[in-house]
Amino acid sequence: MILEDADRRLLQILQRDGRISNQDLATEAGLSSSACWRRVRALEAAGVIRGYAARLEAGPLGLGFHAMVHVQLTRHAGDTVEGFVTAIRARAEVLDCFATTGEADYHLRVMCADLDAYNRFLDVLFQLPGVASARTNLVLREIKQDGALPI
C-alpha cells in the first residue's frame, strides 16, 4: 500500500487519539466522513493499523520493577532460537523483545511487580535451553513509553 498525505494525517491523529470519532477524525484530517471511513478501513485491511489499545499506567497496576535485559544464547541453532522465542512470547512480563546485533542476541523490556517477581522470571529464563547469560539494566525513569503493559 502506498500511503498518501491524507493517510499519514489520519495515522498521526489516530496514534494521538485512537478513540476519536470518525466524524471528528474526518474534520481534523480535512476529509469527508465517508472518505475518512474508507481510508481507515483500507489502512486496517492492509495491516498498517494493527489494532487499538488503551495506554495504562504501571504504578496503579502494581508494576514497580522495570528493566532492560540483554540475553546471550550459547548457540543459534533453529531449535534453540525457536524455543527461546516461543517461551519469551508467552511471558506477560516481557513487553518487548528484539533480536539484535552486538554483544547480546536479544534485548527484552521486562516489567513486573517487584524484585522477587523478577527473580522468578529469571529462574524461568535461565532454565531455557541455550540461554548463556542475561545482563539486567534497571530502568530508573521513563522518558518516553508507548507500549502496552501486562495486566
Side-chain angles (χ1 to χ4, degrees), residues 14 16 18 20 41 51 68 85 89 97-98 108-109 111 119 149:
L14 286 170
R16 190 177 68 244
I20 192 169
R41 293 301 167 260
M68 303 302 290
V85 168
R89 282 182 175 153
C97 176
F98 303 96
L108 314 177
R109 187 164 69 97
M111 189 172 278
N119 279 315
L149 301 176

Side-chain angles (χ1 to χ4, degrees), residues 7-151:
D7 299 319
R8 292 180 195 283
R9 280 194 309 276
L10 290 171
L11 293 171
Q12 288 170 345
I13 296 164
L14 286 170
Q15 285 186 104
R16 190 177 68 244
D17 181 4
R19 294 183 59 164
I20 192 169
S21 71
N22 184 67
Q23 183 59 52
D24 290 344
L25 178 60
T27 300
E28 193 170 335
L31 298 169
S32 71
S33 222
S34 58
C36 177
W37 184 85
R38 281 192 306 276
R39 282 182 181 273
V40 170
R41 293 301 167 260
L43 291 164
E44 291 170 346
V48 175
I49 297 174
R50 294 188 304 177
Y52 302 89
R55 293 182 189 164
L56 307 178
E57 189 60 44
L61 295 170
L63 300 169
F65 187 91
H66 194 179
M68 303 302 290
V69 184
H70 314 278
V71 179
Q72 270 188 304
L73 299 183
T74 56
R75 56 195 182 117
H76 297 95
D79 58 336
T80 301
V81 171
E82 254 182 62
F84 175 80
V85 168
T86 299
I88 292 303
R89 282 182 175 153
R91 299 302 304 188
E93 305 94 331
V94 179
L95 304 180
D96 301 298
C97 176
F98 303 96
T100 62
T101 61
E103 187 177 321
D105 299 308
Y106 293 91
H107 294 263
L108 314 177
R109 187 164 69 97
V110 175
M111 189 172 278
C112 51
D114 52 27
L115 184 58
D116 288 337
Y118 181 66
N119 279 315
R120 288 190 299 275
F121 168 74
L122 284 181
D123 288 343
V124 171
L125 182 68
F126 282 120
Q127 289 178 23
L128 296 176
V131 172
S133 67
R135 190 182 83 233
T136 302
N137 293 97
L138 297 181
V139 173
L140 300 176
R141 67 185 169 113
E142 293 179 1
I143 307 302
K144 179 182 178 194
Q145 190 250 347
D146 291 327
L149 301 176
I151 56 171

